[in-house]
Amino acid sequence: MSVKAFELVPAVERDLLMGDKARINIQCIECCGKHLYVGTNDCFIHHFLLDEVTSSKGKLSYSPQKLLHKYLGLKKPVAELRAASALERLIVLCDGIVFLVDMVTLETVPSAAGGGAKIRGVTAFCVNENPVNGDPFCVEIGVLSSKRRTVQIYMVYEDRVQLVKEVTTPEQPCALSVDGYFLCLALTTQYMILNYKTGASQDLFPYNSEERRPIVKRIGREEFLLAAPGGLGMFANAEGASQRAPVNWSESVLGATVCFPYVVALDESFITIHSMLDQQLKQTLSFRDGHILQDFEGKVILASTKAVYVLVPLPLERQIQDLLANHRVEEALILTEGAQRNIPKDKFQILHKRILQQAGFIQFGQLQFPEAKEHFKKGQLDVRELISLYPLLLPASSTFTRCHPPLHEFADLNHLAHGDQDKVLRCKKFLISYLGEVRSTEVANGCREDVDTALLKLYAEQDHESLLDLLASDNACLLADSVPWLEKYHKYFALGLLYHYNGQDSAALQLWTRVVDGDLQDSTRSDLYEYIVDFLCTCSNLDHVWKYADWALRKDPTIGVHIFIKRPVSTDQSELKPDDVVTYLGKHSQALLLYLEHLVLEKRIQKEKFHTHLAVLYLERVLSLLSESPTDEEQLARARERLQALLRESNLYRVQFLLGKMDKYEQLLLERATLHGKLEEHDKALHILVHKLRDFPSAEAYCIWSSSCRDSAYRQQLFHMLLGVYLDGNLSGKSQTAAGGGSGDLEMAAVDLLNRHGEAFDAVRVLRMLPDGWSLQLLRPFLGRAVRASMHTCRTSQIALGLAHSENLQLLHDRLKVQKKPIFVSEKKGCHLCHNTFTEPDVVCLPGGVPVHTRCVAQRVRDSPTKRQLTNSSKHT
Amino acid sequence: MPELSKMKKPDVKVVLLGDMNVGKTSLLHRYTERKFKDTISTVGGAFFLKQWGPYNISIWDTAGREQFHGLGSMYCRGAAAVILTYDVTNWQSLAEIEERFLSLTDTANHDCIYAVVGNKADLTDPKAQMYQDSDVSKDQTECGEARTEPQVLSACPTPPASPASLSGMILHKQVTHEDAVALYGRILRYKGLDEKDSLPAEKMCFETSAKTGYNVDTLFETLFDLVLPSILRKRNENQRSPTVDLEEFRGGSGKRARSTCC
Ligand SMILES: Nc1nc2c(ncn2[C@@H]2O[C@H](COP(=O)(O)OP(=O)(O)O)[C@@H](O)[C@H]2O)c(=O)[nH]1
Ligand SMILES: [Mg+2]
């Protein structure tokens, strides 16, 4: 309840109307512009001029001026008065007679010559405010007569009335309203709609008109307001349907009208005001002895028996503000939106936005955040209005000032929350989510810095995870404002990001390294060190890289070296030169090793310097492990494995240099063998492998490895060499090492070698080399394979021979055939190959006797892989 | 109800009919506001505008009180769907549909569809009682027990041994689904419709609970989907209407011409 939508303002008071004559009552009223006509029960019409007076305080009052009063001479009450201003006539119903009175003189208009100006036997009439007839100089009225169950339609002219239509009704009508062709009638037991043109009727609903006075009030195009059973105000349209929900009046309603968006009704002691928008009762004004409530061109006028009042609507904005002041947000919005039709569009939009914003703040104050958010968004609130509620969030440089008049009553968040920290916190959470949503929308246009900076501050303060997302993406956070804030909350990592975003990488790195070193506390990233390494890795400013790499390498060389290793390839100046890096890494041996491995093994840079350097580092490592005692065999094995792999696979390092370095070390025989191999000193290598290391599998592997990119002859040579070493050793070692069984080893190695790699040997040469005493059985696999291979070769060549032979025969046959027939060559015939004609008798014949130029065939033979065939078959003619 | 204020012209009308206290207002409330709260006896009628895709559907809640009975025909005028509501624990409420409310639907569209809805299923059917409305979390209702109990139950893996152990007493179900189906058949007969050409009873008889939300969305949304053709037809008619107006206008002017000559 209690919207103040209307004010009741006295218009004509008792004194002015009837003085102290107690028995005189107001019977009916009519208002037309400033002219007020009052009909009384003593058959008078009073004419007043009503002037509106607005006091200095904006209060409205009326100053009535009596112009005239006139006795109509019928001694009966004036039942109804209607102005037809275009005709300058009042239509009067008095004593059952409708007649016309001049609006100015109040003289009764005499009947015109052609027709009467009177209608008799009338109980009620009404003016059609939406006439179908377009003539402005006549008024259409609907008339109910006392005797017949009919409704008559009359045209009223300046000086006459004319019956145009009469329709009968199923029951006696007692009240009516007209709109277009539609009559809305209260009959004795029901309401109905009757189309007087077509006669079509539509029952509305039952109503006992004898029990309660019916109300039939046209409220707009083809829409009527009716009193319904149970004290309802029902809406009905011309189709007989209801498009608005009913309002709940008292049972004794005397009159009702609509003053959008309100339904105003009058009963014996009250004026009630319901909203059509939500059906709710909005205002009640006490009003004694009321008996007339009518609206005239939007002006609602009431009368008691003795005085006339105007029900003045308060300005809509004031009503809305009243509602908002009482925190009745929904109603305020309904009222605003309901008024859309009545306010110019641009004005409405401004009003609507403002109300939405105010509504949002009210709900915000009540911590109804989802609703508040919706209204802020719909109302396109300048977010800074909201941000400014939170102390210190707006950047110092912001030019924002709150709008005036203010959208809300809060000084700031603390005022709003009355110091309740929980509330403050919830408000902050809300602002976080709200700003997060709007920052990338057009709402933030023109104040992105304010929004982002505020958001950053909130994130920092609330330890919100999105702080980093904000800084890592496109943002407009103001550095000057953010630095102290981030420092305050120890968000150094974030601050570094902000520095970086603002192109101050040096400041960022300085901050971060201090965090890693423990000078500053910020636990945002436990892997901040790795982060810095990554950062340097992609940092395009080489000064920063050189400056902080040392720090990073000292922290952890294996990770620090990623700065150089993982650096993305680029072609600009930010590319690091490997030579520089290697020099730089001089004092970080572990990192250097990793970097060289990266260059040599991963990037496969073909540069002797790096390969040799790496090999030397590997070797040094091995040597240093060797010098330890006790030696860590496992580590040693791994170190050697790496060294060996490099020695084997790379062809770039300086072999002699390395060989010189490991000369003294008997433990590194395998490595030396490899180096010899690189120098193609296979005999030395095999000697080491076989005699010093007695590592036959390695020796075999050596042969395969050394010959891996050479032809089979080279491999054969190597294998023979190995076999030779085995056999030689066997012979010479027979006497010496008989006890150790060493010679037997070599012998077995030789046998295994032959049996395993038989194909790599020249069997005949092998047989010549083998000692006589060896059993056939021992060499069976080798021999078997050798015999089969030789057999295979023999047969293959025999087949080839046979094929060549038969081909030869075939060609011979062709040649004979060709020789038997003449071959014609003429200047008209073209060569089959070049399609030119022949100019000389020298031609070559293709198989089948086709003549072609000699030069063509020569050409073809040169291009063709099958030379023999053609040359054989060629023949001169 | 901010929707109402926009005064959009509804495309189609759905009307809730039924005796007082069967829960019409509660059903509409549950559907539109997703909660169950105390209602006051509906005065006259009320309506709600529902945006359904591009369409506006007005849903009218009517008063079951005898006093307002006369208004029923008006509310039903032009309706595309009528929801005839009864209370599953009250046999009389089903009988009233046939005795008092069915005749009100004479003013509805000729292709109007009818749903027979037994509300308060939560009082007789454990399934309806344990139903959890999807956005239950937001509302505060005065009937706390109905809210909390099912949550406890859902935590236990086996269903309770007897329905009596549920919150609230299980009342005797006075109206069975078969009764509703039979009524639906009689409604079709009253309307002179052939059962074969009409929507089947299985589809148009619902048991709901405004209290727990059981079947409420299904009810309204089934109907909305079914009235769509009616909306389209109405739109088409409106597009054709200028022609009709023209005809009328010509007729009118003809008459006027005659009236002036005499
Ligand atoms: N248990 C239960 N009670 C309900 C249900 N629906 C409505 N009610 C109750 O029934 C009474 C009447 O409801 P109301 O919606 O006003 O009925 P209406 O007269 O048809 O509009 C109220 O006390 C409601 O709380 C329901 O689904 N289950
Ligand atoms: Mg109700």
Side-chain angles (χ1 to χ4, degrees), chain A residues 53 158 216 280 321 357 548 568 674 733 737 747 798 835:
Chain A
V53 185
E158 205 178 18
V216 182
Q280 299 304 308
Q321 291 304 342
Q357 294 173 2
Y548 287 97
T674 309
T737 51
E747 205 176 287
Q798 270 173 358
H835 306 293

Side-chain angles (χ1 to χ4, degrees), chain A residues 154-225:
Chain A
Y154 282 91
M155 291 300 176
V156 178
Y157 299 89
E158 205 178 18
D159 54 357
R160 67 193 161 96
V161 293
Q162 182 180 19
L163 178 68
V164 293
K165 187 83 185 175
E166 182 161 332
V167 279
T168 56
T169 54
E171 293 173 15
Q172 176 62 41
C174 53
L176 87 163
S177 219
V178 198
D179 182 281
Y181 291 124
F182 294 103
L183 298 166
C184 185
L185 301 169
L187 306 180
T188 320
T189 65
Q190 65 161 328
Y191 288 101
M192 76 181 299
I193 299 273
L194 187 61
N195 182 323
Y196 74 72
K197 180 170 169 278
T198 63
S201 70
Q202 180 74 72
D203 293 348
L204 294 178
F205 53 87
Y207 189 83
N208 190 334
S209 297
E210 275 151 8
E211 221 168 71
R212 298 235 166 263
R213 183 166 145 188
I215 293 174
V216 182
K217 168 75 193 157
R218 174 187 181 269
I219 61 161
R221 262 194 80 97
E222 298 188 0
E223 193 171 12
F224 303 93
L225 175 61

Side-chain angles (χ1 to χ4, degrees), chain A residues 197 202-206 228-230 232 234-236 239-246 248 251 277 279 330 334 337, chain B residues 1-2 4-7 9 13 43-47 60 67-68 70-71 73-75 77 248 251-252 255-256 259:
Chain A
K197 180 170 169 278
Q202 180 74 72
D203 293 348
L204 294 178
F205 53 87
L232 285 185
M234 278 289 278
F235 296 92
E239 281 143 43
S242 208
Q243 283 180 323
R244 299 174 205 270
N248 191 14
E251 291 272 1
L277 304 172
Q279 299 175 263
E330 273 304 290
I334 289 174
E337 284 158 20
Chain B
M1 283 198 260
L4 194 142
S5 57
K6 283 169 201 138
M7 292 289 169
K9 199 116 180 108
K13 178 150 84 171
V43 179
F47 84 117
W60 280 83
Q67 188 183 19
F68 301 118
L71 307 178
S73 305
M74 247 186 92
Y75 291 134
R77 183 157 289 128
E248 258 173 21
K255 259 208 187 106
R256 183 130 44 91
S259 66

Side-chain angles (χ1 to χ4, degrees), chain A residues 388-558:
Chain A
S388 73
L389 272 178
Y390 298 67
L392 301 176
L393 282 195
L394 278 178
S397 59
S398 175
T399 55
F400 172 76
T401 49
R402 287 189 192 172
C403 96
H404 190 83
L407 292 170
H408 53 79
E409 60 203 14
F410 312 116
D412 62 18
L413 204 54
N414 294 324
H415 171 217
L416 183 152
H418 300 295
D420 180 338
Q421 283 314 302
D422 179 53
K423 279 191 186 171
V424 170
L425 189 65
R426 289 173 61 194
C427 290
K428 285 182 173 169
K429 293 227 160 97
F430 167 68
L431 187 60
I432 286 180
S433 80
Y434 186 69
L435 292 182
E437 278 180 43
V438 301
R439 66 180 286 259
S440 50
T441 66
E442 58 187 28
V443 171
N445 280 355
C447 57
R448 286 205 58 196
E449 287 169 354
D450 293 358
V451 171
D452 284 1
T453 309
L455 195 55
L456 172 134
K457 289 176 180 175
L458 282 169
Y459 281 157
E461 184 193 298
Q462 299 297 319
D463 206 11
H464 198 284
E465 57 202 358
S466 302
L467 175 62
L468 303 183
D469 294 337
L470 174 71
L471 290 168
S473 57
D474 208 15
N475 70 75
C477 298
L478 288 173
L479 189 62
D481 236 67
S482 308
V483 172
W485 204 282
L486 290 172
E487 279 173 349
K488 180 175 167 198
Y489 293 100
H490 297 266
K491 301 292 178 195
Y492 299 109
F493 176 67
L495 180 52
L497 289 180
L498 184 61
Y499 278 133
H500 171 59
Y501 188 77
N502 285 277
Q504 302 183 17
D505 285 355
S506 160
L509 283 163
Q510 196 185 351
L511 202 61
W512 288 337
T513 51
R514 287 179 64 199
V515 174
V516 174
D517 289 340
D519 298 347
L520 297 172
Q521 302 304 318
D522 174 11
S523 58
T524 310
R525 285 193 81 123
S526 55
D527 61 345
L528 183 56
Y529 169 72
E530 285 83 354
Y531 182 88
I532 297 173
V533 169
D534 281 350
F535 184 86
L536 289 171
C537 197
T538 50
C539 180
S540 55
N541 184 331
L542 293 183
D543 291 344
H544 296 330
V545 177
W546 295 128
K547 182 165 171 200
Y548 287 97
D550 197 51
W551 173 86
L553 288 164
R554 260 184 289 117
K555 282 261 162 225
D556 183 341
T558 50

